[in-house]
Amino acid sequence: MSAQIRKLIVAFALLAGVALAGQAAPAKQRMAGDFGPPQGEPVHAVLTSPPHVPPPITRTRPAKVIVDLEVVEKEMQISEGVNYTFWTFGGTVPGSFIRVRQGDTVEFHLKSPPGNKMPHNIDLHGVTGPGGGAASSFTAPGHASQFTFKALNEGIYVYHCATSPVGMHVANGMYGLILVEPPGGLPKVDHEYYVMQGDFYTTGKYREKGHQPFDMEKAIAEQPTYVLFNGAEGALTGDKALTAKVGETVRMYVGNGGPNLVSSFHVIGAIFDQVRYEGGTEVQKNVQTTLIPAGGAAIVTFTAKVPGSYVLVDHSIFRAFNKGALAILKVDGPQNVAIYSGKEVDSVYLGDRSAPNLAAVSTAAEAHAAGTLTKDEQIAAGQQLFAGTCSVCHQSNGAGLPGVFPPLAKSDFLAADTARAARVVLQGLSGKVTVNGSEYNSVMPPMNQLNDDEVANILTYVLNSWDNPGGRIQKEDVKQMRTSKPAASAEAH
Ligand SMILES: [Cu+2]
């Protein structure tokens, strides 16, 4: 008998012994994840708003954990100058982060203040039982409901509203994450963050200003106006970026509320050391992009090794640059040129998101709505938008690049016909043009993804910068130009 076969037989005998011992255990054996009845005084769960995560649980015994979650319907900013009526768990999108320990008995209270207009409920994917709690938690405005469950399975789980029309409740922001920690806890890290993607459907175009209602038809067609991390463009960029220091470990609980899209979650410039994909217990290592299904979540962990801005995106990349699915982790600390030579990614990947915030854009939108918009407000908004759109080619100082991109600074072409500039932006420009005595024969692509107010503000900024002649372009002028017949390309020269 070979040594290997002998080893196998021994292993088999051991296994059989274990199985027999299992049978011999008391008949009233508990199911996996059930560590017995709650012990000690009930505790109130710490709930946090995104991007924050409640502290790790240090208890060594199962407890009764009381969760008090309030449903809040409220108007919030979805993008600069754009408002949306969100329905939320706890007043934020995503809803409050809930953290419990495997084996805990969770007494869940869902409350809906009288001011709400809709009934709501909650389906927690971490609940074992029909509907995940949905049926027991139907809550009308001015009411509260209560149900209890035992958190049997560890992992990161999505919760969401499941009141009809379910898609609409989810599309309005009614989802969040609940972490069921294993009894021993998760390995210690320096930072834990809570990030959740969602797709949003407004009747107006992307970044169209003012209050935007929900668009059911776009939602059914699965054509979102916005794809966002944490419920708003800019929720995690500029002065609201996530932070870490060089050498620190970062764990992100990344959920996807949907309602429709699957996320190709990627952090530009980082490799995930570990991913607990689909929120499950298996660990995948050295991952570039992880797929997060609608109604699913993952735990990603990595170390920030080089300083700079790391851009979180849905790598279905138009969503990142044209629908808002972009967030930033700002890592501070000393350079490590052995790993990376050290040039910022700012202008390439961040676009207008490299600014600390786009407050001037909101201000201009509000002023326009109130009928008080001034030229200075337009210039300020235009300056923020110019960065990352026009500056890519014409440079941030408007100087252009000799022979390739004509200057906007002191441009005689611009000064000769300022209205023509709006047409150039909307329709693009190609063929020979002479700017300040130099000939250019290149192509400027149409920038017609920009809204009327964005074009007006950018051009007003350009006209009033770098010794250009001044003047003002209004949103209404651009609107008219957009709907009028396209100018023949020769006419633009
Ligand atoms: Cu709801």
Side-chain angles (χ1 to χ4, degrees):
M1 196 162 26
S2 81
Q4 246 156 4
I5 291 176
R6 220 173 308 138
K7 258 192 220 150
L8 267 179
I9 288 174
V10 172
F12 185 75
L14 275 174
L15 270 178
V18 168
L20 279 175
Q23 267 176 8
K28 220 184 109 207
Q29 206 187 19
R30 296 193 190 104
M31 57 183 95
D34 183 358
F35 308 128
Q39 299 178 32
E41 286 293 299
V43 292
H44 282 264
V46 177
L47 303 184
T48 56
S49 296
H52 303 293
V53 176
I57 293 169
T58 50
R59 265 186 290 117
T60 53
R61 302 197 148 73
K64 176 170 158 184
V65 179
I66 298 163
V67 176
D68 273 307
L69 194 55
E70 193 180 49
V71 175
V72 185
E73 299 170 2
K74 69 188 228 202
E75 196 175 310
M76 291 189 284
Q77 188 167 283
I78 191 166
S79 178
E80 280 72 20
V82 190
N83 284 345
Y84 188 80
T85 304
F86 292 92
W87 301 345
T88 74
F89 289 108
T92 56
V93 179
S96 308
F97 196 106
I98 307 167
R99 188 168 195 155
V100 299
R101 182 180 181 271
Q102 189 182 19
D104 280 348
T105 297
V106 182
E107 186 183 288
F108 209 101
H109 298 257
L110 193 67
K111 297 173 181 174
S112 183
N116 282 347
K117 300 209 165 48
M118 294 284 158
H120 302 282
N121 65 8
I122 192 165
D123 166 353
L124 297 119
H125 292 180
V127 168
T128 306
S136 352
S137 62
F138 181 87
T139 311
H143 288 76
S145 53
Q146 178 186 337
F147 64 100
T148 301
F149 66 93
K150 190 164 272 193
L152 292 177
N153 298 67
E154 63 146 310
I156 182 83
Y157 297 96
V158 168
Y159 67 77
H160 63 91
C161 181
T163 305
S164 180
V166 178
M168 182 177 179
H169 284 253
V170 174
N172 284 341
M174 297 199 79
Y175 45 76
L177 292 181
I178 175 170
L179 173 66
V180 182
E181 268 198 82
L186 295 167
K188 220 180 121 20
V189 288
D190 296 307
H191 296 279
E192 289 192 314
Y193 287 120
Y194 172 22
V195 177
M196 200 156 178
Q197 183 171 320
D199 28 296
F200 295 86
Y201 305 81
T202 63
T203 51
K205 288 210 301 181
Y206 174 61
R207 290 187 174 179
E208 193 164 313
K209 304 296 182 281
H211 183 268
Q212 292 295 329
F214 169 71
D215 189 324
M216 190 63 150
E217 274 175 34
K218 279 190 195 168
I220 293 170
E222 304 191 11
Q223 287 166 346
T225 330
Y226 293 89
V227 181
L228 302 171
F229 293 119
N230 290 7
E233 249 202 305
L236 298 172
T237 63
D239 45 19
K240 291 194 218 139
L242 306 173
T243 56
K245 292 200 181 66
V246 166
E248 288 184 329
T249 46
V250 179
R251 174 182 293 135
M252 289 183 186
Y253 300 95
V254 190
N256 183 7
N260 288 319
L261 301 186
V262 165
S263 172
S264 301
F265 184 70
H266 175 76
V267 177
I268 299 173
I271 298 155
F272 304 136
D273 297 322
Q274 295 199 344
V275 176
R276 281 183 59 163
Y277 51 96
E278 296 173 9
T281 315
E282 292 292 317
V283 170
Q284 172 80 295
K285 293 183 179 169
N286 302 315
V287 176
Q288 57 190 308
T289 301
T290 191
L291 207 56
I292 308 181
I299 307 177
V300 306
T301 322
F302 57 98
T303 308
K305 299 191 181 91
V306 179
S309 293
Y310 293 79
V311 188
L312 286 59
V313 294
D314 179 337
H315 215 296
S316 289
I317 211 75
F318 271 103
R319 298 177 189 170
F321 297 109
N322 299 83
K323 296 189 173 194
L326 190 149
I328 291 161
L329 171 73
K330 188 113 183 87
V331 175
D332 285 322
Q335 291 287 354
N336 185 344
V337 288
I339 294 176
Y340 187 69
S341 63
K343 184 172 183 280
E344 264 285 11
V345 295
D346 279 15
S347 57
V348 187
Y349 278 126
L350 305 185
D352 56 24
R353 291 282 150 205
S354 56
N357 58 59
L358 293 183
V361 176
S362 308
T363 307
E366 280 158 28
H368 186 273
T372 61
L373 182 65
T374 64
K375 191 163 96 175
D376 284 344
E377 285 167 331
Q378 281 194 277
I379 293 171
Q383 179 169 19
Q384 293 192 327
L385 294 165
F386 184 88
T389 48
C390 320
S391 69
V392 178
C393 298
H394 294 287
Q395 305 300 296
S396 44
N397 60 1
L401 276 184
V404 191
F405 304 122
L408 299 180
K410 262 195 238 182
S411 157
D412 56 1
F413 185 94
L414 182 68
D417 184 350
T418 53
R420 174 175 59 183
R423 260 192 322 254
V424 169
V425 173
L426 291 175
Q427 296 162 13
L429 186 64
S430 58
K432 268 187 208 152
V433 284
T434 306
V435 183
N436 298 348
S438 300
E439 209 172 78
Y440 295 83
N441 190 358
S442 189
V443 177
M444 169 166 154
M447 310 278 288
N448 54 10
Q449 80 280 10
L450 296 170
N451 286 327
D452 298 337
D453 64 306
E454 293 175 315
V455 176
N457 294 346
I458 289 173
L459 286 173
T460 303
Y461 163 68
V462 169
L463 288 174
N464 291 279
S465 305
W466 318 304
D467 295 325
N468 282 335
R472 195 173 170 185
I473 308 264
Q474 310 265 12
K475 177 178 175 176
E476 291 69 24
D477 306 333
V478 181
K479 184 175 179 186
Q480 211 191 339
M481 231 169 268
R482 200 191 288 268
T483 47
S484 71
K485 279 221 156 61
S489 61
E491 214 180 293
H493 298 173

